[in-house]
Amino acid sequence: MSTSNLLGVVLIARHGDRLEFWQDPTTYTTSNTAITPLGEVQENNLGAYVRSVYGTPSSSSYIGLSTPLYNAEQFLARADAGDEGGVIYDSAIALVQGLFPPSSANNITLANGTFVPSPLNGYQYIPIESVELEEDVSLEGYASCTAFSNRTTEFYNSTIFQQKVNETAAFLKELPPILDGRAATLVNMWNIYDYMNVQSVHNATFLNNLPPTFLAQARDLANWHEYNVFSDTTLGGIGNIAGTAMLPSILTAMQRIANASDPLKMHYSAISYKPFLSLFNMTGVNSDGQLPAAVVNYAAAVAFEIRQTGNDAPFVRFNFKNGTDDDGFKVYNMQLPGMAQPGDVPLSTFLSTLEPVAINTTLQWCNACGQATDRGCAALLNASSTTAVAPAHHDRISPVGAGFLGAGLTFAVYSMLLAALAFLGLLAFGKRVHRSGSERGLNSPQGGSINHEKTASA
Ligand SMILES: *[C@@H]1O[C@H](CO)[C@@H](O)[C@H](O)[C@H]1NC(C)=O
Ligand SMILES: *[C@@H]1O[C@H](CO)[C@@H](O)[C@H](O)[C@H]1NC(C)=O
Ligand SMILES: *[C@@H]1O[C@H](CO)[C@@H](O)[C@H](O)[C@H]1NC(C)=O
Ligand SMILES: *[C@@H]1O[C@H](CO)[C@@H](O)[C@H](O)[C@H]1NC(C)=O
């Protein structure tokens, strides 16, 4: 096998250890929670590990990231700012600190000769895009997605689910004494597992009283539950919305990395466990059981490597590291629909297979989800049905352009709506509604002045 050059990496990583949170088993709206020092350490270690593999000139997988000082043209980071409060954003900060650690080279000498190092021994301040629920659907396609919730309800009503209820009844019946009032039902399985997991990490009394097999049994059921909710039998099915909504950012980054005249080397998305499940399902890495159809651990990461042998066409390689206890990235074979055999995938095949199912715009998301009001849909749908200028379809635009257009269009339409409301005297300017910590998008089109506070993360 001839050796290939690594052109760059699209990295996606789950957040680190956090406190408990609760999510509705049908709509997946979540409560707030907070990262812990352990979670920060896990993410920082992951960042340092990624640096050792991809950011170190002596590594065989070095992608040419500038060192020791980071170069803004080579690296882009974005973090889901909706789910789980600030946990994912804070995780991204900790990861990036490990990836681009403080450096004595981060200093400046002034005109009068004074030497000034950056604070904290040369800390590097790396920008991270905060991906807000009300402005951008890409990292949380499932939130407020009616069609997704309906599919989940159908799953709970299915024969296969009922069979599992029967199989697991004896185990679930043993749980109430340790669940502190939480419902011991299979529908509620994620919350059961999450409570047990968080308590067993942070509560010595709980840990000491927990029967030895219970956590593993609960994890197993949560894996089954979540994989079925966040996957689909067809690539573009609504069960995969967590993955299809993320595709434009992933595919655009891959194209940029493969383009020799573009300086981008690494694109990083900080996310929850949910898009991992859809992306596993869509890339077929768990179709033959090589990777379990299961929730990933805290600080787990996928690195899609863009490689090239000589002047041949670039291809994509799937690497996965299942959290802090896993030694390092391992390669898994992808099996996209239509591929003769599993393995690495030519970039052109990766794009032509996944682009058709990508959710490229907010409007497209509104239609796919059957969502007529939340996340900017009211204005977008109204605009697309009443004005000729609002483009109902811009599928031909490159995904990244379309992403910006989606957000920009939402804003433009809201501006018109606000102007209309103000004209009608329905809107009092200057009155700010309090926003909770999980939604810091103060400029979000739907927040601020309108007198309702319905959000996907409420
Ligand atoms: C040099 O300039 C900096 C920034 O203006 C100032 O803080 C510092 O006191 C100056 N040092 C001397 C020795 O003048
Ligand atoms: C720790 O676990 C014990 C035993 O399950 C429980 O009674 C207690 O409420 C827990 N403490 C906290 C802070 O959750
Ligand atoms: C994707 O998930 C569905 C369940 O939602 C499963 O039936 C299918 O086999 C999975 N596809 C792959 C390629 O793993
Ligand atoms: C990650 O590791 C946990 C155990 O630490 C396991 O239960 C789970 O199946 C693994 N997930 C994947 C996708 O490998």
Side-chain angles (χ1 to χ4, degrees):
M1 192 178 151
S2 54
T3 51
S4 52
N5 283 330
L6 195 45
L7 305 179
V9 168
V10 174
L11 181 76
I12 62 178
R14 189 185 175 198
H15 59 78
D17 183 70
R18 53 151 169 73
L19 300 178
E20 193 197 354
F21 89 137
W22 182 87
Q23 57 189 358
D24 184 288
T26 305
T27 60
Y28 278 82
T29 54
T30 65
S31 68
N32 266 345
T33 176
I35 196 167
T36 67
L38 171 62
E40 292 158 0
V41 169
Q42 291 168 336
E43 294 291 319
N44 197 258
N45 286 345
L46 175 61
Y49 170 74
V50 171
R51 176 181 182 77
S52 74
V53 176
Y54 297 117
T56 306
S58 58
S59 163
S60 59
S61 296
Y62 181 51
I63 56 173
L65 284 179
S66 115
T67 179
L69 294 184
Y70 124 103
N71 171 346
E73 293 195 319
Q74 294 183 329
F75 179 76
L76 272 186
R78 53 205 318 262
D80 178 0
D83 212 359
E84 309 178 42
V87 168
I88 298 174
Y89 195 86
D90 291 347
S91 294
I93 294 173
L95 187 151
V96 158
Q97 284 179 335
L99 181 55
F100 301 109
S103 167
S104 58
N106 200 10
N107 66 67
I108 200 161
T109 302
L110 306 180
N112 66 11
T114 305
F115 175 81
V116 186
S118 287
L120 303 167
N121 301 315
Y123 184 89
Q124 303 198 57
Y125 295 79
I126 317 288
I128 300 168
E129 183 192 350
S130 168
V131 178
E132 306 288 335
L133 276 177
E134 295 299 309
E135 293 168 359
D136 186 331
V137 298
S138 64
L139 299 187
E140 279 194 38
Y142 49 89
S144 303
C145 180
T146 312
F148 172 77
S149 306
N150 291 344
R151 180 186 175 280
T152 304
T153 303
E154 276 167 31
F155 171 55
Y156 295 152
N157 292 330
S158 69
T159 318
I160 199 171
F161 193 86
Q162 198 49 52
Q163 274 166 5
K164 198 81 170 174
V165 167
N166 298 339
E167 280 168 32
T168 57
F171 172 62
L172 291 174
K173 221 183 254 164
E174 295 192 67
L175 295 183
I178 63 168
L179 290 185
D180 192 25
R182 283 157 191 80
T185 63
L186 190 60
V187 165
N188 199 36
M189 202 61 227
W190 170 264
N191 291 317
I192 294 173
Y193 164 70
D194 194 66
Y195 175 73
M196 289 170 64
N197 186 44
V198 169
Q199 293 285 320
S200 66
V201 174
H202 295 283
N203 180 344
T205 316
F206 186 93
L207 181 63
N208 294 333
N209 291 333
L210 187 65
T213 61
F214 274 26
L215 187 61
Q217 282 175 278
R219 167 104 191 206
D220 210 44
L221 293 178
N223 285 343
W224 178 83
H225 185 285
E226 297 307 293
Y227 188 80
N228 278 288
V229 168
F230 289 98
S231 67
D232 208 298
T233 47
T234 60
L235 208 54
I238 199 71
N240 277 330
I241 187 77
T244 53
M246 243 188 109
L247 281 177
S249 55
I250 293 175
L251 301 181
T252 304
M254 287 179 174
Q255 285 169 288
R256 289 191 55 192
I257 288 167
N259 176 353
S261 62
D262 189 316
L264 186 69
K265 299 282 181 207
M266 184 179 282
H267 183 278
Y268 159 47
S269 296
I271 54 173
S272 70
Y273 69 91
K274 296 156 192 160
F276 280 97
L277 297 171
S278 305
L279 292 170
F280 285 178
N281 188 249
M282 293 165 71
T283 53
V285 285
N286 39 34
S287 55
D288 61 0
Q290 38 163 351
L291 195 61
V295 172
V296 304
N297 284 339
Y298 293 140
V302 167
F304 289 103
E305 294 176 350
I306 312 303
R307 289 179 169 266
Q308 188 170 33
T309 308
N311 286 327
D312 293 355
F315 62 92
V316 184
R317 177 170 290 172
F318 187 104
N319 293 265
F320 175 62
K321 179 182 187 300
N322 192 10
T324 311
D325 295 340
D326 196 348
D327 316 337
F329 284 126
K330 288 178 203 65
V331 177
Y332 292 90
N333 293 324
M334 291 186 276
Q335 173 88 69
L336 298 180
M339 267 172 73
Q341 56 188 37
D344 297 336
V345 182
L347 178 59
S348 58
T349 306
F350 199 89
L351 296 172
S352 63
T353 307
L354 294 174
E355 261 171 355
V357 299
I359 300 287
N360 286 327
T361 65
T362 304
L363 181 59
Q364 196 184 342
W365 179 89
C366 302
N367 288 321
C369 287
Q371 173 56 264
T373 36
D374 290 353
R375 301 189 80 177
C377 292
L380 282 171
L381 289 167
N382 192 36
S384 71
S385 66
T386 56
T387 62
V389 287
H393 300 284
H394 25 249
D395 300 355
R396 295 270 74 87
I397 299 177
S398 83
V400 74
F404 287 126
L405 183 58
L409 185 63
T410 313
F411 182 76
V413 169
Y414 260 97
S415 305
M416 288 190 283
L417 185 69
L418 291 178
L421 288 175
F423 177 73
L424 295 171
L426 294 176
L427 190 66
F429 283 101
K431 196 173 128 224
R432 283 233 164 255
V433 176
H434 169 75
R435 302 177 66 83
S436 76
S438 69
E439 6 138 10
R440 289 164 308 220
L442 293 176
N443 298 322
S444 76
Q446 208 165 25
S449 318
I450 300 178
N451 190 22
H452 68 94
E453 212 188 352
K454 180 148 178 46
T455 71
S457 66

